[in-house]
Amino acid sequence: MSDKLMQTLAKLQTENRKLKEQDKIKDKKLNERDETIRIADEEHQKSLAKLKEEIEFKEKMIKSLTKKKGKK
């Protein structure tokens, strides 16, 4: 192969390696972001479930207190 062709090939191979490395870095960042989102979602779901339980409990208490007032 000619020198010019070899230089072009070397440049393209270098560019390809750089692009692959950039892809790995972006993939890692996206995976980290996805993990952060997953953890935040789990915490949110737990918090939401706890709030729902509290609402149900308070609604039962209100019903209970309302029934007691009605009996008097």
Side-chain angles (χ1 to χ4, degrees):
M1 285 199 231
S2 69
D3 288 340
K4 192 170 187 174
L5 189 58
M6 292 296 287
Q7 287 176 345
T8 303
L9 178 61
K11 285 180 185 178
L12 290 173
Q13 287 174 333
T14 301
E15 185 178 328
N16 191 29
R17 276 193 300 276
K18 287 180 182 178
L19 290 172
K20 283 182 180 180
E21 190 61 34
Q22 288 175 354
D23 281 349
K24 285 181 186 178
I25 292 169
K26 287 180 182 178
D27 282 347
K28 184 179 178 184
K29 287 181 181 179
L30 287 173
N31 287 336
E32 289 171 355
R33 186 201 67 179
D34 288 349
E35 182 66 14
T36 302
I37 291 171
R38 185 189 62 76
I39 291 169
D41 184 54
E42 285 177 1
E43 291 174 2
H44 173 74
Q45 293 299 327
K46 288 177 185 176
S47 176
L48 190 60
K50 184 177 179 181
L51 289 172
K52 285 181 180 179
E53 288 176 9
E54 288 177 11
I55 289 171
E56 287 176 12
F57 174 75
K58 289 178 181 178
E59 286 176 345
K60 287 179 184 177
M61 291 300 291
I62 290 170
K63 282 184 181 179
S64 170
L65 292 172
T66 306
K67 285 181 183 177
K68 286 181 182 177
K69 283 185 179 179
K71 290 182 180 178
K72 288 184 177 180

